[in-house]
Amino acid sequence: MQLSEPELRRRQEREELLHLGIEPYPAAQFTVNATAADILKNYERRKTDYKNISLAGRIMSRRIMGNASFIEIQDATGRIQAYFRRDDLCPDDDKTLYNTVFKKLLDIGDIIGIQGFVFTTQTGEISIHVQKFTLLTKSLKPLPIVKEAEDEQGNKITYDAFADREARYRQRYVDLIVNPDVRETFKKRSQLVQAMRNFMQEKGYLEVETPILQPLYGGAAARPFKTHHNTLDMTLYLRIANELYLKRLIVGGFEGVYEFAKDFRNEGMSRFHNPEFTQMELYVAYKDYIWMMECVEEMVERVALALHGTTEVQVGEHIINFQRPWKRYTMFEAIQEYTGIDISAMDEGGLRAVCAQLNIDVPDTLGKGKLIDEIFGEMVEGKLIQPTFITDYPVEMSPLAKKHRGKEGLVERFEAICNGKEICNAYSELNDPIDQRARFEEQIDLGKRGDPEAMMLDEDFLRALEYGMPPTAGLGIGIDRLSMIMTNSPSIQDVLFFPQMKPEPIVVAPSDSDYEAMGIPKAWWPVFNKMNHKSVEDIKAIAASKLFNDLGGLRKKLKVDAPMPTLDEVKTWLGQ
RNA sequence: GAUUCGUUAGCUCAGCUGGUAGAGCAUUACACUUUUAAUGUACAGGUCCUGGGUUCGAGCCCCAGACGGAUCACCA
């Protein structure tokens, strides 16, 4: 890797600090007794408490004005201005600490500790008057410079925002340093998980952990990631869901279990899909899906209140209100509401005619259940902005859900739809082992017909059901999707710290020792570095005459103080 | 996987009909003891994503590729 000029300069500064006896990465702990947010919030009311403060953070901007300077320092809670004055820091004749260390050897991005007292500047900004500072970490890579200001109305204006998505996702650490909104989004995500966990702890449910490496994958319809265990010499799959394990725990006698689970699905990626994602699954014994709807409403309403202090949340152009109770439709009612067509009594032929009438393209292979799902997906789902429960799904699509207590061909299942997307999925869980086996066998048939997502038959799970699982309500709720809504993020990548991406190409640049091995005189090494070849092989592939010409050109540009080699010498270097 | 847009200085971006590569910020130097996008002056900084092609001449046109975004498809 060729280092840019700022990078070289910072490495040089690191050396100079060492020469001055200043350790750029000290071991001694720097004790902090204040945060930026605390000072800005409480200083005016409790001035005497801020006479002797100690704070650490990253330098985010510098305004040097001769013998006085202002910097902005950023800690985990925010930014605060600090005031450095030469004669305070260097009361004696030796002004090195200010003139050299502070002004020349520190940069934006360096992490320092400061000690001093809080005051208000003439322009009214609460600031720290620094009496002593300590370098804690020298930063060798320049940060993207983002400048912020406020207009007359007090609106925040950002200049030169660090907005390139690829760079932001690949180097999330930089994104987090430079974009405060990103930090806020992830804090909200954490609060969301915390609010849900508190909710379930209060109800007395048990938080559990179940296997991620599974010999059989199940609990959802999806393609898995496959791996291999060497000692056991067996195939294992990364879980696509943890449903079947949590139900085993209900069989075992726990009456409420939940897990925040990373699941893995080997499928397409989009702004709603990442190969690994988080679901919270909850199973409660002696409950049904109607009870579970109330539970979801209460939990999600609680989350909205915890994050926003209100049930109303701005999402894109909509304001979504999570206040209970939410609207409820059966799937048939919802389709009738949005298309005007009652499909509840239709057979497959009738449903196909409806698809044709609504201009929905469907493959001939689809059965009745999938046709209904297609109509719902095309005509209804995207229009449901406010949180809405859709209940009573066709049995063909739900091999783990209990048959409806009153309606033939349906199961006791609901999804909550919000902002046009599913956020959760729940059933009265199927606990009849004979029925469950039959449903698995239907799935196996589907698999034989080529459906890559058909479920596998899990004999151990069936054995557990045969011992008897009490009537149970189960829920899976997508934490990423819910986070997107609660933080007004248009893409799943905005709520994942490290979204999946293709790896960056790794370039192994030739080094000085490579040049030496090729017999190139040292004076020419900078020239080869400047040419930035990707590898030694790349250099050797260049025609000697072309390289000879290039060397001549760069010799002039870089002012190389060495005689021009002959064409024959160049050929020797290249082994040609 | 398909379509489409993008990739130019450390960062954010301009770049005309194909004719010597531009700005602001950051950096460097100097000035400046309460500034706040600090200011003023000066300097420096570029494989224009990669590889081919067309052309006297390519950042720009053509072909292929890499990476990324968006939409669609797939997908609880």
Side-chain angles (χ1 to χ4, degrees):
Chain A
M1 261 305 278
Q2 268 299 303
L3 294 174
S4 66
E5 264 183 47
E7 288 172 298
L8 290 169
R9 187 179 52 73
R10 285 174 182 233
R11 278 167 168 73
Q12 185 64 39
E13 286 168 357
R14 177 183 174 280
E15 292 300 318
E16 287 173 35
L17 286 162
L18 284 166
H19 280 134
L20 288 170
I22 296 169
E23 171 55 57
Y25 305 94
Q29 176 173 312
F30 180 85
T31 303
V32 170
N33 67 11
T35 65
D38 169 48
I39 294 169
L40 294 175
K41 189 174 163 210
N42 297 319
Y43 170 67
E44 289 294 351
R45 288 187 287 117
R46 306 204 320 257
K47 292 195 176 177
T48 48
D49 293 349
Y50 296 94
K51 296 281 185 221
N52 202 350
I53 66 105
S54 174
L55 176 142
R58 195 184 288 275
I59 300 173
M60 296 305 289
S61 76
R62 300 208 297 165
R63 293 181 283 278
I64 294 176
M65 302 169 305
N67 294 330
S69 303
F70 291 90
I71 66 165
E72 281 178 296
I73 187 164
Q74 174 171 295
D75 68 10
T77 67
R79 285 189 192 187
I80 189 165
Q81 179 170 271
Y83 175 58
F84 285 68
R85 203 168 76 165
R86 187 191 66 185
D87 295 339
D88 288 346
L89 294 162
C90 313
D92 306 329
D93 285 346
D94 181 4
K95 306 296 185 191
T96 311
L97 190 62
Y98 180 81
N99 284 341
T100 306
V101 177
F102 174 75
K103 277 169 72 172
K104 304 242 190 275
L105 302 181
L106 292 191
D107 291 289
I108 290 175
D110 290 350
I111 297 168
I112 61 170
I114 56 175
Q115 287 157 285
F117 58 89
V118 180
F119 75 111
T120 307
T121 65
Q122 287 176 4
T123 49
E125 176 101 4
I126 295 172
S127 307
I128 300 167
H129 191 124
V130 176
Q131 291 161 312
K132 195 176 165 210
F133 71 93
T134 312
L135 177 60
L136 299 177
T137 299
K138 179 72 195 162
S139 163
L140 297 184
K141 223 158 165 68
L143 285 173
I145 304 296
V146 179
K147 294 218 169 186
E148 286 171 356
E150 282 182 6
D151 64 14
E152 294 79 22
Q153 285 83 44
N155 299 316
K156 197 181 271 184
I157 312 169
T158 305
Y159 300 88
D160 297 338
F162 178 59
D164 180 78
R165 284 172 168 274
E166 180 178 1
R168 285 182 48 220
Y169 299 148
R170 285 198 195 281
Q171 300 185 51
R172 181 68 91 181
Y173 36 89
V174 175
D175 194 26
L176 288 164
I177 292 168
V178 149
N179 291 327
D181 295 351
V182 176
R183 287 198 297 275
E184 237 4 83
T185 295
F186 285 101
K187 281 190 207 164
K188 284 234 158 67
R189 183 181 169 129
S190 172
Q191 286 165 12
L192 177 152
V193 170
Q194 210 49 250
M196 287 175 69
R197 180 171 279 131
N198 290 345
F199 176 84
M200 288 178 293
Q201 286 301 119
E202 281 171 27
K203 303 242 174 199
Y205 306 145
L206 187 71
E207 182 165 15
V208 299
E209 293 178 90
T210 61
I212 292 173
L213 288 173
Q214 302 180 345
L216 291 171
Y217 58 95
R223 276 177 281 176
F225 287 92
K226 195 174 171 181
T227 186
H228 183 262
H229 189 279
N230 290 341
T231 301
L232 296 175
D233 189 24
M234 68 183 288
T235 297
L236 288 168
Y237 301 94
L238 272 62
R239 70 180 170 203
I240 57 173
N242 53 358
E243 172 155 355
L244 304 185
Y245 283 94
L246 292 176
K247 284 182 184 171
R248 285 171 168 98
L249 297 179
I250 296 292
V251 171
F254 293 114
E255 293 184 359
V257 291
Y258 67 96
E259 180 175 14
F260 286 90
K262 263 284 177 76
D263 292 341
F264 305 84
R265 298 189 183 174
N266 204 343
E267 289 168 347
M269 291 165 63
S270 76
R271 75 191 174 92
F272 292 106
H273 301 86
N274 194 66
E276 58 180 286
F277 64 102
T278 307
Q279 274 204 96
M280 197 285 291
E281 292 199 34
L282 167 68
Y283 292 81
V284 184
Y286 311 115
K287 305 294 183 191
D288 64 8
Y289 78 136
I290 294 166
W291 175 89
M292 187 61 91
M293 275 189 263
E294 283 158 16
C295 178
V296 168
E297 280 173 340
E298 191 185 346
M299 179 161 56
V300 176
E301 184 191 68
R302 178 94 80 92
V303 166
L305 287 168
L307 268 58
H308 299 283
T310 162
T311 57
E312 296 191 347
V313 180
Q314 179 89 38
V315 181
E317 56 192 3
H318 304 292
I319 290 178
I320 294 181
N321 191 346
F322 290 96
Q323 187 165 32
R324 291 178 285 167
W326 299 352
K327 202 176 270 183
R328 293 182 193 187
Y329 287 119
T330 67
M331 180 160 265
F332 290 145
E333 284 167 359
I335 289 170
Q336 179 155 23
E337 174 87 18
Y338 284 87
T339 65
I341 302 169
D342 178 6
I343 61 165
S344 59
M346 286 186 185
D347 60 6
E348 192 176 323
L351 292 168
R352 282 195 183 281
V354 170
C355 286
Q357 183 192 336
L358 297 171
N359 282 324
I360 304 169
D361 257 348
V362 283
D364 295 337
T365 54
L366 294 193
K368 197 175 153 186
K370 283 267 189 188
L371 287 171
I372 295 170
D373 191 46
E374 279 291 325
I375 296 170
F376 177 78
E378 283 293 318
M379 305 306 296
V380 184
E381 188 172 14
K383 291 176 186 150
L384 299 175
I385 302 303
Q386 298 301 323
T388 305
F389 287 119
I390 302 296
T391 63
D392 301 347
Y393 282 64
V395 63
E396 295 90 331
M397 300 162 54
S398 316
L400 301 167
K402 188 176 274 195
K403 281 188 176 141
H404 197 278
R405 60 194 74 181
K407 297 176 189 164
E408 188 64 28
L410 301 182
V411 291
E412 296 205 346
R413 169 179 176 178
F414 72 84
E415 292 190 358
I417 314 283
C418 180
N419 205 33
K421 274 278 169 191
E422 170 202 341
I423 57 169
C424 80
N425 181 21
Y427 323 127
S428 298
E429 298 296 337
L430 176 55
N431 64 341
D432 174 350
I434 304 297
D435 189 3
Q436 183 67 79
R437 181 176 292 277
R439 304 269 198 102
F440 274 139
E441 273 158 7
E442 283 166 25
Q443 288 291 312
I444 290 167
D445 281 347
L446 283 177
K448 282 187 186 145
R449 275 193 275 144
D451 185 343
E453 291 166 1
M455 289 187 192
M456 297 161 110
L457 190 144
D458 187 333
E459 279 294 350
D460 177 68
F461 173 66
L462 286 171
R463 180 167 63 190
L465 285 193
E466 285 170 12
Y467 281 103
M469 181 174 83
T472 298
L475 166 74
I477 182 162
I479 298 299
D480 311 289
R481 298 243 179 117
L482 189 59
S483 296
M484 285 168 67
I485 290 170
M486 290 292 176
T487 62
N488 192 13
S489 301
S491 167
I492 197 169
Q493 298 178 110
D494 295 323
V495 298
L496 298 170
F497 274 125
F498 304 105
Q500 195 57 244
M501 300 192 96
K502 283 204 184 183
E504 296 175 85
I506 295 167
V507 179
V508 185
S511 66
D512 288 353
S513 57
D514 292 324
Y515 300 139
E516 193 163 20
M518 293 167 76
I520 301 166
K522 195 169 181 178
W524 289 95
W525 295 354
V527 178
F528 278 85
N529 278 330
K530 188 74 187 170
M531 288 192 286
N532 231 332
H533 296 291
K534 287 193 186 70
S535 67
V536 175
E537 288 69 33
D538 277 16
I539 298 178
K540 293 199 171 175
I542 304 168
S545 53
K546 173 167 166 41
L547 184 64
F548 181 73
N549 283 338
D550 289 350
L551 290 175
L554 283 166
R555 179 169 180 261
K556 210 173 194 176
K557 191 171 176 186
L558 297 180
K559 301 188 179 79
V560 175
D561 190 20
M564 192 62 199
T566 65
L567 182 56
D568 282 339
E569 281 173 307
V570 173
K571 279 183 181 169
T572 326
W573 298 348
L574 299 179
Q576 291 177 1

